[in-house]
Amino acid sequence: MTDRTSIRHPFLVWAWSLVRLDFVGVAVGAVFFCLSLTPSLLPRDWLFAGLIGGINAAIGYGLGVLLAQLLRRFVLRGRSWWPPSARVLRTAKVAVVAGALTAPILMLVPAARWQRQVSTLMGIEGPATPGYLRTAVVAVLVGAACISLWRVLKDLVKLIARKLIRRWHLHSEVAFFIGTAIVVVLFVMLVNGVLYRGFLAGASQIFQPQNATSAAGVTQPSAPERSGSPASFASWDSLGYQGRSFVSGGPDAADLTRLNGRPAPEPIRVYAGLATADTDEARVAVLLSDLERTGAFEREVLVIIPTTGTGWVNPIAAQAIESMYNGDTALVAMQYSYLPSWISFLGDREKSVDSARAMIDGIHTRWDALPEGDRPRLLLYGESLGSFGGQGAFDWLPDIAEMDFSGVLWVGPPHESSLWSGLVQRRDPGTPEVQPRYDNGRTVRFSPASDPADVAATAAPPWEGTRVLFLQHASDPVVWWSPNLLFARPDWLTEPRGADRTASMRWYPIVTFWQVSADMTNASGVPDGHGHNYGDTVLDGWAAVAPPPGWTPADTERVRAELERTSDRDDAG
């Protein structure tokens, strides 16, 4: 009788090897999948839960396989009772398979409930349990793809090793070491070279054309106080998508006169896009020319705004400070990329720092040359990657005061931000990471910003001299994501939780890193006051660091009502 295995096609045998599973790996992978279903900072729908669950399950599977190999080699080898009988092995395998199938399915029920709890904290509706069961299907597909890729790489190592042994008669261990090194180098070159550069090139092809367009309803300003106007040194076409939105938006003198009940000048908005000039230095020169032309250095307030990846400036932050100072303001910003912040952060985060430093240094030098009594009040604002870039322009906190900045507002700073991370690490003993205190709040303070009252309480006097304020939600993954989450429990998960983080969140090695990574994709997709969406608490931040003389809480609420009215009008449009 012909042996049936002898007629199997070699490719089919190899394909089957890609999905054949180790039972210890299956057990550990199931545990990792179950842990991935526990709650994190933000709600996750079934699709993202399946994606993260599949990745974690594949990592757990690999760790399980490694653990099994170590046990067989160093613990079980030579034992009289090992290996056990075939019957015992079959029973164990059946038990592992049954448990690995049952436990994850059962875990999806409390997982959906946890997601509803997190959603309730955000003020949104959570997922229904039946629909959340689809998580398992996505996880199986993702996990299988990851394990198959690993096995393809391992088979490639074996193939190279066999070639080396056959041709050069190398010892098997030496051949496998060389084969592994070759595959690792090729894989790293593929990821960091071809795939990485291809990703950036593809992103450029997608986002560069958008940079040449304008949002609906955006038209070239005619007021000479705006860049892109006929009087400006920066042409309208050169400003980019976000720059055109910035200079054409916001309140005009009539709007501010109506709001504050007294005559208002036209607010100044100066901007330079990537196409305005070839280098950061040349773009700063254009900014300075427009600042001189518009009389920006004669205004009461001059606000420097390092932008996010696309060149975006938060319209709420801009309108809030203009409303507070009744238009006696000059806002200046500069684009350094047309890619979204997360791509810019991965691709070349130093561009944000270099651009911010060039703009801050150039404008400050011109401002510092003015007579001390004739200078405008100098403010600095940065949000997300704009905060990252702005912080990178200073070596340490005293530099900000030495440059005579009156107030600095940084919103949603990425965890890798230089000043933020240094201040948090050196925070006063006994203060939590989620709301630290540094030097008893003499210069810099941190606010959870989940409620306007929180920000107002943070700004309580005494607070003399330069004021630096960080707004950071306890649920903002941009603030709390770090590679350290892979293997180190952060303080913010051992200390009392923030107001909008679920008490059910726990830290698990590797698992939590991928959970928070998934949260970052939805960081701005949650309601105001949560995640990376700071809403109109930016207004309260401005009132904390740069209140006009005689400013009252009633004034803040009056401006807030106008911001809400404007936002509703824009949404309706």
Side-chain angles (χ1 to χ4, degrees), residues 37 42-47 49 108-120 124-135:
L37 295 175
L42 299 178
R44 295 193 305 276
D45 61 17
W46 62 271
L47 183 61
L108 287 169
V109 177
R113 183 173 67 250
W114 283 325
Q115 292 304 316
R116 288 193 291 271
Q117 292 173 354
V118 179
S119 298
T120 300
I124 57 179
E125 185 178 355
T129 300
Y132 212 71
L133 295 177
R134 293 174 290 183
T135 296

Side-chain angles (χ1 to χ4, degrees), residues 411-490:
V411 178
H415 194 277
E416 303 299 314
S417 301
S418 55
L419 278 180
W420 181 91
S421 59
L423 292 167
V424 170
Q425 290 172 9
R426 297 171 175 83
R427 65 187 182 274
D428 294 347
T431 60
E433 186 175 13
V434 73
Q435 192 175 0
R437 200 162 180 85
Y438 179 82
D439 194 20
N440 201 32
R442 183 174 63 174
T443 299
V444 62
R445 299 185 183 182
F446 303 78
S447 175
S450 55
D451 187 87
D454 297 331
V455 185
T458 304
W463 197 2
E464 305 297 333
T466 297
R467 297 184 177 188
V468 179
L469 178 62
F470 289 95
L471 301 185
Q472 52 187 55
H473 290 147
S475 61
D476 187 351
V478 174
V479 175
W480 307 116
W481 181 90
S482 167
N484 294 333
L485 285 172
L486 280 166
F487 303 112
R489 179 187 286 109

Side-chain angles (χ1 to χ4, degrees), residues 267-269 291 294 296-297 299 301-304 327-332:
I268 294 172
R269 292 193 177 189
L291 289 172
T294 58
F297 293 106
R299 293 297 174 101
V301 168
L302 173 60
V303 187
I304 302 175
D328 198 6
T329 55
L331 277 58
V332 54

Side-chain angles (χ1 to χ4, degrees), residues 16-40:
W16 169 248
S17 72
L18 296 181
V19 296
R20 188 180 68 253
L21 299 177
D22 178 275
F23 287 92
V24 177
V26 168
V28 179
V31 171
F32 268 59
F33 172 73
C34 290
L35 293 178
S36 76
L37 295 175
T38 57
S40 57

Side-chain angles (χ1 to χ4, degrees), residues 279-359:
T279 65
D280 285 339
E281 290 72 18
R283 286 188 282 271
V284 170
V286 174
L287 291 177
L288 290 171
S289 297
D290 256 4
L291 289 172
E292 294 281 6
R293 178 187 61 79
T294 58
F297 293 106
E298 300 170 9
R299 293 297 174 101
E300 185 175 358
V301 168
L302 173 60
V303 187
I304 302 175
I305 308 176
T307 64
T308 64
T310 58
W312 178 75
V313 175
N314 187 338
I316 295 177
Q319 182 178 346
I321 194 67
E322 290 172 334
S323 299
M324 291 172 61
Y325 281 87
N326 198 37
D328 198 6
T329 55
L331 277 58
V332 54
M334 184 172 77
Q335 182 186 24
Y336 68 88
S337 173
Y338 47 76
L339 298 175
S341 290
W342 67 274
I343 300 179
S344 295
F345 188 79
L346 292 174
D348 191 0
R349 70 187 72 176
E350 290 306 314
K351 278 186 178 180
S352 66
V353 174
D354 294 340
S355 173
R357 182 181 291 115
M359 181 170 62

Side-chain angles (χ1 to χ4, degrees), residues 124-185:
I124 57 179
E125 185 178 355
T129 300
Y132 212 71
L133 295 177
R134 293 174 290 183
T135 296
V137 178
V138 178
V140 168
L141 295 176
V142 172
C146 292
I147 294 171
S148 297
L149 175 60
W150 169 254
R151 287 183 169 173
V152 168
L153 295 176
K154 190 168 70 171
D155 287 345
L156 183 57
V157 170
K158 293 179 180 179
L159 176 63
I160 295 174
R162 286 197 298 268
K163 297 289 186 182
L164 291 173
I165 293 171
R166 187 176 304 135
R167 182 175 180 84
W168 303 103
H169 306 292
L170 297 178
H171 189 278
S172 60
E173 292 185 357
V174 175
F176 273 99
F177 174 80
I178 296 175
T180 301
I182 292 174
V183 171
V184 168
V185 170

